[in-house]
Amino acid sequence: MNLYNYEDIRAVHLEITEKCQASCPMCDRNKNGGAVNPNLGDKNGLHELTVADIQKILPPEFVKQLDRLYMCGNFGDPIIANDTLEVFKYLREQNQNLRLSMNTNAGAQKENWWIKLAKILGNNGHVTFSFDGLGDTNHLYRQGVNWDIAWRNALAFIGAGGRAHWDFLIFAHNEHQVEEAEALAKETGFAKFIPKKTGRFFSTIRKTGKEEHQAMDRKGEKKQLLQKPKEVKFQNTATKDIIKLEEKHGSLENYFDNVKIKCKVAAEKSMYLSAEGLILPCCWVAGSMYKFWQKPGENQVWELLQESGGKDVFDAKTHGVKAVLNNEYFTGRLVDAWSKPNTHLGKPMVCAQKCGEEFDAFRAQFQ
């Protein structure tokens, strides 16, 4: 069964670059905020798409069928890419009704860049600013982000007519500031304030919940000990439900083996385009390719790609979107794998974790 067809696609999740000036401790771009993930990039450096790449991969007729395109991803921040403004401009020129957005730490570029971005996005776009605290706390998770620069940029964007959302990841060290931040968001013109009950206190290695995460800096020294919020109302309900799942299924591993997968991106008709130029279903599948603790090629995601012709056949810069989506991976192999007896016999663990019907730490962030 097809995951979806070329003509069905209505949304694109674009990661334009793997580059970022920040070193967030729970980001796969680096080792707990320390050294950069050695599996990223190639001999020429970290991957990044140019406006010419985007024009080739996403031609005008394809852009015209889209409802939404957003820049986010696993490793990079779109404000660091050279051609972000040019890419948004190209997309807007092809489709005036296309909803455009991006997620960012906002700690780079001059004010004029943000003013230009606001004008390009117009009324049918927004920027989600990832501010996890205020001036005295934001840097404890967003390591390497200068608050004064980030806040200045957000105000410049809003002042130029840009629609701004504020994403606030809640930890023990900033939970006392949620109400203050929400009031500040309203006062300064943010259209939305989103307190996020982070689902990142879940170990994908051990497949269990965790209470804390030690942040490191680039020198390998310990920094902030990241802890779950103390207040129950700020805790992710999905991670709290792990005990119930273990009681019901015998273990969390049994749950992942047996759970029915309800694919989010299949329902949304959304595809993911990596900074490497690869077309994959979602950022979770793509992110599983390059975990820093695992050599590329040594997990289930790679096995399915290799069975479908290898990583290179997913390269949209070479083959185009239509050819990639016609690959057997999208036309049957991935969906068929969801019906395998268990995760040891080929049922994708990443799909069971992210799109299993009874455990959804991602969606619970917003509940």
Side-chain angles (χ1 to χ4, degrees), residues 2-9 62 271 279-281 313-314 320-331:
N2 282 20
L3 186 68
Y4 38 50
N5 299 308
Y6 174 85
E7 59 272 14
D8 296 330
I9 300 298
F62 182 72
M271 72 177 204
I279 298 290
L280 292 162
V313 305
F314 294 83
V321 175
K322 185 176 290 188
V324 175
L325 294 183
N326 281 334
N327 181 274
E328 59 187 304
Y329 176 91
F330 287 99
T331 61

Side-chain angles (χ1 to χ4, degrees), residues 301-322:
V301 168
W302 280 98
E303 288 172 6
L304 271 180
L305 298 183
Q306 288 158 352
E307 289 171 8
S308 305
K311 185 185 81 169
D312 290 346
V313 305
F314 294 83
D315 185 349
K317 288 192 289 186
T318 301
H319 305 290
V321 175
K322 185 176 290 188

Side-chain angles (χ1 to χ4, degrees), residues 32-99:
N32 302 313
V36 174
N37 183 339
N39 295 325
L40 295 184
D42 56 24
K43 62 182 180 181
N44 298 312
L46 295 174
H47 295 110
E48 183 169 306
L49 296 172
T50 65
V51 66
D53 291 329
I54 296 299
Q55 290 169 339
K56 182 178 180 181
I57 297 170
L58 307 178
E61 63 272 16
F62 182 72
V63 176
K64 285 178 171 60
Q65 80 178 41
L66 300 177
D67 297 325
R68 179 187 181 212
L69 181 142
Y70 60 105
M71 292 190 193
C72 189
N74 296 307
F75 309 117
D77 193 304
I79 62 174
I80 303 298
N82 289 322
D83 289 356
T84 293
L85 290 180
E86 289 74 16
V87 168
F88 274 135
K89 185 178 179 182
Y90 162 72
L91 295 166
R92 175 59 74 226
E93 288 172 347
Q94 305 312 315
N95 188 340
Q96 291 295 313
N97 297 317
L98 181 60
R99 285 179 286 126

Side-chain angles (χ1 to χ4, degrees), residues 108-122:
Q109 300 293 352
K110 302 293 186 182
E111 290 173 84
N112 190 51
W113 188 95
W114 290 92
I115 292 169
K116 289 179 181 178
L117 177 63
K119 302 302 182 185
I120 294 169
L121 295 183

Side-chain angles (χ1 to χ4, degrees), residues 69 92 96 98-102 117-118 120-127 157 161-165:
L69 181 142
R92 175 59 74 226
Q96 291 295 313
L98 181 60
R99 285 179 286 126
L100 296 170
S101 65
M102 75 175 191
L117 177 63
I120 294 169
L121 295 183
N123 295 326
N124 206 14
H126 72 271
V127 169
F157 177 77
R163 181 178 174 85
H165 298 175

Side-chain angles (χ1 to χ4, degrees), residues 76-206:
D77 193 304
I79 62 174
I80 303 298
N82 289 322
D83 289 356
T84 293
L85 290 180
E86 289 74 16
V87 168
F88 274 135
K89 185 178 179 182
Y90 162 72
L91 295 166
R92 175 59 74 226
E93 288 172 347
Q94 305 312 315
N95 188 340
Q96 291 295 313
N97 297 317
L98 181 60
R99 285 179 286 126
L100 296 170
S101 65
M102 75 175 191
N103 291 57
T104 179
N105 64 58
Q109 300 293 352
K110 302 293 186 182
E111 290 173 84
N112 190 51
W113 188 95
W114 290 92
I115 292 169
K116 289 179 181 178
L117 177 63
K119 302 302 182 185
I120 294 169
L121 295 183
N123 295 326
N124 206 14
H126 72 271
V127 169
T128 296
F129 292 89
S130 297
F131 293 160
D132 308 320
L134 298 170
D136 60 335
T137 54
N138 184 61
H139 65 284
L140 297 179
Y141 180 72
R142 300 283 161 182
Q143 295 185 149
V145 175
N146 181 298
W147 172 260
D148 291 335
I149 293 173
W151 186 248
R152 177 205 69 191
N153 290 338
L155 294 184
F157 177 77
I158 294 169
R163 181 178 174 85
H165 298 175
W166 181 336
D167 262 15
F168 187 116
L169 279 176
I170 308 172
F171 298 95
H173 66 259
N174 65 11
E175 62 184 312
H176 65 288
Q177 295 178 318
V178 173
E179 291 183 3
E180 183 182 354
E182 184 170 14
L184 180 62
K186 291 178 180 177
E187 177 187 331
T188 50
F190 281 83
K192 286 185 180 180
F193 178 81
I194 305 129
K196 289 177 67 175
K197 303 168 186 177
T198 178
R200 296 195 178 192
F201 286 99
F202 178 82
S203 172
T204 55
I205 302 175
R206 298 190 299 273

Side-chain angles (χ1 to χ4, degrees), residues 207-262:
K207 301 176 183 63
T208 186
K210 59 183 180 181
E211 297 298 313
E212 57 189 32
H213 187 98
Q214 180 63 60
M216 310 296 288
D217 65 14
R218 293 297 193 201
K219 297 178 182 179
E221 297 178 357
K222 291 182 178 180
K223 302 298 287 185
Q224 180 72 22
L225 180 64
L226 301 171
Q227 297 176 307
K228 291 169 63 173
K230 299 296 188 290
E231 288 198 50
V232 173
K233 67 179 181 179
F234 293 143
Q235 294 174 1
N236 188 291
T237 56
T239 54
K240 291 193 298 180
D241 286 342
I242 288 175
I243 294 175
K244 295 178 183 178
L245 289 174
E246 290 175 333
E247 290 174 351
K248 179 178 178 180
H249 296 276
S251 69
L252 201 56
E253 188 171 356
N254 285 343
Y255 161 73
F256 290 131
D257 282 344
N258 297 311
V259 69
K260 183 178 179 181
I261 293 170
K262 190 174 181 179

